[in-house]
Structures are given as C-alpha cells and as structure tokens.
Amino acid sequence: MIRVVLLVIFAAQFSVLFGQIEANFIKHLSENQLRSEHLTYLNQVKAPEDSVCYLKAKFYLQYEEDSLFFINFEQAKSLFLSDPFASTQASLQFFGKGSASRERWFETLPKEELNEQTQLLLNRYNLIEYKENRGEVKPEWPTVLLDEDYKAYTRVEGKSPFLGGFLSALIPGLGKLYAGKRKAFVATFFINGVHFVQTYESATRLDLKHPLNILNISVLAGFYVANIYGSYHDVKEVKRERKQQLYLDATTHYRMEFGDRLYQ
Amino acid sequence: MMKELCRFLLCLCFVAFSHELEAQAPLSPLNVKIIGATFATVPQLSTYKRKVVVLKNQSLLVKVNPLTYLGAGLLFFYQNVVSEQLGGECSYEISCSEFTKQCIQRHGFIKGLLLGANQLNTCVPGGYLDHCSHSVSEKGKIINSVEAYD
C-alpha cells in the first residue's frame, strides 16, 4: 500500500516536472545560437498555450522571422509586453527595419503600461512619423549625429516631388538640387547643356531633316524627359533615405544604450 | 557665346565641388566606408553575372518580338566587347547598361529607358556623396534597385 502511494506521488511529481519550462535551458539555447534544438524544445514543451507562444515569439524575434513572430505575439501579447527585455528588444529591432514592419509593430503597441525604453522608442516613432510635439518642445537627441540626421530629414520632409519635376523642366538638374543632390545637379546640367549646345550647332549647320539632327534631337529629348522624371523620383527617394538613415542611426545608438539581452 | 558658356560651366563646377575640400572635417560614416573600399587589401572585383535576356514570365509578344533579341544582342555586344575596352567603372552597384536592361524588362520600354537615362545623367565619380551611408555599399557603390521604382 505504501509503495503504491509513493509510486503515485512520484508519478505526479514527474508529470509536473515535464510540464515546467526550463528557463535557464532556453536561455542557454538562445545564447549559444542552437536554433534547431531551441525550436525542437519549444515544439515539445508542455505548457499553457500563451506561455509557449510567448517563448516562440522571442525565438522568432531572435532569428528575425517577422511574420511568425507576429503570429505568436498576437496570441501572447500581454505576457510579451510585460517582459521588459522582450518588448525593448522587439521595439529596437523593428525601429531599424523597413517601414512596413516598423509600422505594424508600433501601431499595435498600447499607449500605456509600457516599460521606459519601449515608451521612449514609441515617442521617437510618433515624433518622426506623425510630427507629435514637434512645435512644442525641441526634441533632444542624445548624440550630435542623430540631431544632424533629424535636421536633414526635417529639411526634406515637406518637399514636393512634383515641384522637383517642374524645376527640372525649367533648368535641367534643378529638381535634383532641390532634392539636395548637388553632384547630380552639376552632372545633369552639364550633360544636358553639352547636348543642347551640340544639337543647336548641328541644327544650324545642317538641314533640320538630316538624320544626324533627328538623332541628336531624339537623344536630347530623351535625356531631358529622363531628367524631369528622375527628379520627381529623386525627391521621393531622398525623403525615404533620410528617414531610414535616422532610424538606423537611432537604432544603433539605443541598442548600445539598452543592451541586447532577450532573456533575464 | 560658346566660350562664355564653357567658362560659365567651369565656374559652376568649381563652385559646386569646392565646398567638399575640408581636410579637417570629422569622418562621417559614409567617408569611413569609402576609405575602407579604397584602401582594401583585397581587390574588390565585380562578380555580377549578366544574363543576355530573361524571357521567364514574359508574354508571347515579347518572346516572338525580334526587337527584343536585337536590343539584347546590341546590349550584349556593348557590355562584353565595347565596355571591356573602355574600362569605365560605374558609380552604381548595378551598372547603367544592366540597370536599363532590367528596368525595361520590369517596367516596360519607355519607363525603363527613362530610368536608365536618368541614372546615366547622374553617374559621376563621387556621386555617392549625394546619398546616405546606408545607400552606399561596402565597395563604395551606390545601391540601386529596380524594385524601388514600382
């Protein structure tokens, strides 16, 4: 009888043991980049669903599989956000990524109950994307590089691509100067200028219907229209570039400041 | 008139480039990248493989059109014979001729040609100075992608 009781107690403890998640073991798998072993363990562990999703979200965050991360994050949102290390690392990672992932992460964050680092990154995101609090207080960036990046971005933020195209139609390359590309302006102006002079010379010396004239005028027209079309795209490209550079530099700085620990 | 125009263009080039002569200026991330590429111990050889023409996922009209093959053949001749002799080096990661070809394949003839001509307009040594450091590769070339113009 006593043996049966002891056996039942032992079996109960054994099953409870199997149901627990070994946090130190997971931390070891993560720190040593044992990806397949880590995933195998997570797939076999017996625990409540939200706990498993929370651990899987951290796994996919570490290995930058965004779509799988978001699937698991949605099922363990409160648990994930209550972990300051996880929410900070997720915010840092998406802060430096492309606009689609970044927007998806920061738009789903609640406004309250965030840790200090995540709140700071959310405030920076709102400042850059939605110009929140721009007029009230001058934003203080922690380094000179970030301050310069921010100023460079705000300088081009309000520029119109159509105005860039229009300026290039007036003077070839002026739209590129408007976008902030000085070298491109000089090169475009020089190339189109030389083309124009050469076409003018051949038009005055030869008959207008001469094949060489037709070729010259076609090439000049092609480069001129390309300059207008390119200036339109350049203004959009410069805005995108400056914004992404600001995000990347800010991510580098804050990663050094906050660290890169994912597990306690 | 020609002489005056030439003088004006020369003055303009001087004004545009002279502001870059700052020997004591602190190194920006972009300059660090360019210096690294310039003084790299291993020569940075281009290993990009060019295809003559890509007909995958193209319509039947494109596949049977003789102009497709004429254009591809001319470009193949330029890239493999003429360009090798000229020895020029493009400032962009995808060279101007290859970029034009890929743009024509992706965006159509007119838009592709305009994008290629625009890149030709701006392909100058030192063109990377107009871009942020993340848009410049480790080899000192401007990163240009065909998909960005979708």
Side-chain angles (χ1 to χ4, degrees), chain A residues 12-226:
Chain A
Q13 283 191 346
F14 201 65
S15 67
V16 165
L17 199 66
F18 262 112
Q20 285 181 347
I21 297 170
E22 287 286 340
N24 288 333
F25 181 56
I26 291 174
K27 188 178 172 185
H28 163 78
L29 290 170
S30 168
E31 285 173 357
N32 290 286
Q33 308 267 323
L34 298 168
R35 184 174 176 162
S36 58
E37 288 85 351
H38 193 164
L39 186 60
T40 306
Y41 178 76
L42 291 177
N43 284 333
Q44 290 177 355
V45 72
K46 289 181 180 13
E49 195 184 338
D50 60 342
S51 301
V52 175
C53 288
Y54 155 71
L55 291 170
K56 281 188 172 179
K58 287 173 87 165
F59 169 80
Y60 290 122
L61 178 71
Q62 180 180 350
Y63 294 105
E64 299 191 24
E65 293 188 31
D66 294 348
S67 51
L68 290 166
F69 163 76
F70 278 111
I71 290 169
N72 286 283
F73 169 73
E74 290 299 328
Q75 298 193 25
K77 198 168 178 177
S78 56
L79 201 57
F80 192 93
L81 290 175
S82 64
D83 180 351
F85 292 100
S87 64
T88 303
Q89 288 308 311
S91 300
L92 267 173
Q93 199 174 104
F94 288 112
F95 201 68
K97 284 208 168 188
S99 56
S101 306
R102 182 169 49 233
E103 189 181 330
R104 190 174 176 186
W105 169 253
F106 283 103
E107 295 302 327
T108 57
L109 282 180
K111 302 289 178 192
E112 294 151 0
E113 297 175 2
L114 293 172
N115 64 324
E116 193 185 327
Q117 291 91 345
T118 308
Q119 189 64 53
L120 174 68
L121 290 170
L122 179 63
N123 291 343
R124 292 295 182 199
Y125 169 80
N126 287 331
L127 173 71
I128 296 167
E129 295 291 335
Y130 301 112
K131 306 177 190 179
E132 273 186 22
N133 302 325
R134 267 201 207 170
E136 296 165 13
V137 177
K138 189 182 168 188
E140 287 184 8
W141 293 92
T143 62
V144 173
L145 177 66
L146 288 177
D147 200 38
E148 283 176 5
D149 280 348
Y150 180 71
K151 282 177 187 167
Y153 170 63
T154 49
R155 244 182 275 137
V156 298
E157 196 185 4
K159 294 200 173 179
S160 164
F162 291 104
L163 181 58
F166 175 71
L167 288 171
S168 278
L170 293 177
I171 298 173
L174 194 59
K176 295 183 195 293
L177 186 66
Y178 170 72
K181 294 188 171 186
R182 283 180 282 224
K183 299 270 184 295
F185 159 65
V186 171
T188 308
F189 182 79
F190 185 75
I191 288 170
N192 282 273
V194 166
H195 257 129
F196 175 76
V197 167
Q198 189 256 333
T199 306
Y200 175 78
E201 285 284 326
S202 77
T204 50
R205 291 183 188 199
L206 302 169
D207 181 31
L208 211 57
K209 290 182 186 174
H210 194 281
L212 188 63
N213 267 334
I214 294 170
L215 181 68
N216 280 334
I217 291 168
S218 309
V219 171
L220 176 65
F223 274 91
Y224 179 73
V225 173

Side-chain angles (χ1 to χ4, degrees), chain B residues 3 5 14-15 37 59-60 70 84 98 113 116 119-121 138 143:
Chain B
K3 278 185 186 174
L5 186 63
F14 179 75
V15 165
S59 67
L60 183 64
L70 178 68
E84 297 289 326
E98 186 63 26
L113 210 58
Q119 181 165 312
L120 264 172
N121 264 333
E138 295 299 327
I143 299 168

Side-chain angles (χ1 to χ4, degrees), chain B residues 25-36 128-129 133:
Chain B
L27 279 179
S28 68
L30 180 62
N31 286 342
V32 169
K33 213 180 252 192
I34 298 304
I35 290 168
Y128 55 82
L129 290 167
S133 62

